[in-house]
Amino acid sequence: MTRKKGIAILGSTGSIGTQALDVIEAYPEYFSLEVITAGKNAELLIEQAKKYQPNTVVITEESLYQQVKDALWQESIHVYSGSESLCQVVESAEVDTVLTALVGYAGLKPTLRAIEAGKTIALANKETLVVAGELVTRLAREKGVNIYPVDSEHSAIFQCLVGEFHNPIEKIYLTASGGPFRGWSLEQLQTVKREQALKHPNWSMGAKITIDSATLMNKGLEVIEAKWLFNLRPDQIDVVVHPQSIVHSIVQFEDGSMKAQMGLPDMKLPIQFALTYPDRFTTSFPRFDFLNYPSLTFEQPDRMVFKNLDLAYEAMNLGGTAACALNAANEVVVEAFLNEQIPFLSIADINEETMRTTPSINNPVYEDFVETDKIAREAALHLVTKWKIT
Ligand code: NDP
Ligand code: MG
């Protein structure tokens, strides 16, 4: 029998992370869980460690190290803390695939280290490619590392490309649900509350991506993610709103043929495919029934109301560190919105102003991304303070 596939899950306590644990648990003969990591949720990390018995756990928040260490003293599990540990554990010889399921810019460094170490990447952390797509994909090419998408739209594109890798793509269409405010006017959006924005119609996800879905920034980030994953020009990437979230995305080839991947909205499927590719394993996930969906509909996104989508295109066209600045601003403003410090519509306004005022660096190296992230965060925080709800 061949060796089991050793998996490290960065961000096992999150929405993607917990679903990934379910997938891995279902195929004990195929996967071996080597590493799980959390940011601050020590209780859940301890519970997961006891249940799934990984080799190693990391709690990134250093003040929680002792709590995790004490709780696991009877288990034969290594316990580490701090963000540098995230980078070290992915290099372990037992790890074959690193699932990057942590949220935000924090995913960049451990992903780069995992690629350096030659590990296959199952990428959920889209911000990594948004911030430094050129650097990440170049390093992956140099190291001969495959990056398999977990994001449902990118998994859909990837699934449509299986058997077609030699055929050039003419265009792709990323589908978007439109979020909870599809069809709303700017006036209606002025008084939107946190709880309304956190209610996604089709997907249950972490707080940051749920807000990004409500502002269409998530689709903007996905456009940039697609550019790097599939080596596309900006004009080859289009977005279409599809409120039922059944068609997960579409590839158009040079002969005009279009392929779409469909299914019920359930992240376990793309997580599993990223971990089992090129194989498909039998699942008991609920199946899509056409009769429950007599009409699948498609419409244009409202780019005037949801400005973040065009900001992402602008960042992609500018290149350099523009998308890094936009991402940093967005992380700051989403947190501020979740803390009820700024109104919903300020999210895109602060993103725009931060991106326009942060100097962009051409042909950036890693340190340029670190510096740009820092400058853009400071600029966005300044604007948050200025525009704070009193
Ligand atoms: P969650 O917020 O649910 O989970 C995030 C995970 O990352 C948690 O384990 C959290 O730990 C950990 N974490 C957060 N910040 C840090 C940090 N600074 N350092 C180390 N660990 C950290 O997010 P999701 O699971 O929803 O999303 C994860 C990624 O996957 C995002 O990039 C998102 O865009 C992408 N994605 C998610 C989808 C979904 O359905 N949820 C769909 C497609 C993509 P803790 O909670 O312990 O603090
Ligand atoms: Mg997605």
Side-chain angles (χ1 to χ4, degrees):
M1 191 189 142
T2 51
R3 179 172 165 270
K4 289 186 195 179
K5 198 181 267 193
I7 309 288
I9 305 179
L10 305 184
S12 64
T13 49
S15 163
I16 294 287
T18 48
Q19 295 180 82
L21 285 170
D22 290 342
V23 167
I24 289 167
E25 188 185 23
Y27 306 102
E29 68 293 348
Y30 188 75
F31 296 119
S32 149
L33 184 66
E34 297 298 326
V35 176
I36 57 175
T37 82
K40 296 189 176 123
N41 194 342
E43 282 84 19
L44 184 55
L45 184 69
I46 292 163
E47 192 186 314
Q48 291 178 340
K50 287 184 177 169
K51 180 170 175 194
Y52 299 106
Q53 294 290 318
N55 249 317
T56 302
V57 304
V58 180
I59 180 85
T60 315
E61 173 59 49
E62 299 190 25
S63 63
L64 298 169
Y65 170 75
Q66 208 54 48
Q67 182 188 342
V68 177
K69 180 84 184 153
D70 290 350
L72 298 178
W73 75 276
Q74 281 186 315
E75 319 282 340
S76 48
I77 298 175
H78 304 285
V79 179
Y80 301 106
S81 74
S83 47
E84 181 54 28
S85 299
L86 285 183
C87 297
Q88 286 166 7
V89 294
V90 296
E91 295 171 344
S92 153
E94 308 306 317
V95 171
D96 300 302
T97 295
V98 177
L99 171 63
T100 65
L102 35 69
V103 62
Y105 174 83
L108 175 60
K109 202 168 169 197
T111 307
L112 287 171
R113 288 282 284 272
I115 296 172
E116 280 279 358
K119 310 300 181 186
T120 300
I121 306 293
L123 185 120
N125 178 248
K126 65 190 82 182
E127 293 90 346
T128 286
L129 285 185
V130 171
V131 169
E134 191 174 357
L135 180 73
V136 171
T137 50
R138 193 187 330 123
L139 187 65
R141 271 196 307 277
E142 279 167 21
K143 296 283 170 185
V145 159
N146 288 320
I147 302 178
Y148 296 124
V150 168
D151 214 345
S152 59
E153 296 77 2
H154 306 73
S155 175
I157 302 288
F158 181 58
Q159 292 182 56
C160 293
L161 290 176
V162 172
E164 303 262 17
F165 292 119
H166 60 293
N167 286 324
I169 296 171
E170 186 169 82
K171 195 168 180 174
I172 65 168
Y173 292 89
L174 297 179
T175 51
S177 71
F181 306 130
R182 183 174 61 89
W184 287 39
S185 66
L186 279 172
E187 201 183 349
Q188 286 172 303
L189 287 173
Q190 266 169 8
T191 52
V192 153
K193 295 273 168 293
R194 176 185 188 274
E195 278 59 41
Q196 291 168 284
L198 280 172
K199 274 204 196 91
H200 195 280
N202 303 338
W203 299 94
S204 161
M205 310 179 285
K208 196 249 173 191
I209 182 173
T210 306
I211 301 302
D212 284 346
S213 300
T215 65
L216 282 205
M217 179 50 100
N218 183 50
K219 213 47 56 182
L221 301 179
E222 291 184 354
V223 165
I224 303 174
E225 182 186 12
K227 169 189 165 57
W228 295 115
L229 278 173
F230 305 113
N231 194 20
L232 300 171
R233 296 185 314 272
D235 64 287
Q236 289 177 292
I237 310 169
D238 213 340
V239 171
V240 60
V241 173
H242 166 50
Q244 298 81 20
S245 297
I246 296 297
V247 174
H248 296 307
S249 280
I250 301 123
V251 181
Q252 182 176 305
F253 292 96
E254 289 188 321
D255 60 357
S257 175
M258 295 168 99
K259 276 169 116 178
Q261 188 263 339
M262 298 170 65
L264 290 172
D266 182 347
M267 283 310 295
K268 281 196 193 137
L269 198 141
I271 293 169
Q272 177 166 312
F273 192 66
L275 297 178
T276 64
Y277 172 82
D279 299 318
R280 291 188 185 273
F281 287 7
T282 309
T283 72
S284 55
F285 305 155
R287 269 41 176 175
F288 169 71
D289 181 345
F290 282 95
L291 301 183
N292 291 336
Y293 292 83
S295 77
L296 296 179
T297 60
F298 301 90
E299 61 196 49
Q300 287 293 330
D302 188 339
R303 292 168 183 265
M304 301 300 281
V305 169
F306 299 98
K307 287 195 304 183
N308 276 333
L309 183 56
D310 279 349
L311 287 180
Y313 271 95
E314 188 180 330
M316 182 167 53
N317 281 312
L318 285 169
T321 51
C324 172
L326 178 62
N327 177 74
N330 188 57
E331 290 189 23
V332 169
V333 290
V334 168
E335 197 183 325
F337 175 73
L338 285 168
N339 292 332
E340 301 184 309
Q341 293 173 315
I342 54 165
F344 185 77
L345 289 174
S346 299
I347 295 177
D349 291 340
I350 297 179
N351 281 342
E352 181 172 12
E353 177 137 358
T354 307
M355 185 174 80
R356 299 263 159 81
T357 53
T358 306
S360 187
I361 302 166
N362 288 328
N363 305 315
V365 294
Y366 176 72
E367 288 69 27
D368 296 323
F369 294 115
V370 176
E371 184 64 12
T372 302
D373 179 77
K374 186 167 160 273
I375 293 172
R377 272 171 205 273
E378 282 165 6
L381 259 179
H382 178 73
L383 293 169
V384 165
T385 315
K386 210 164 114 186
W387 297 359
K388 225 174 197 167
I389 305 169
T390 45

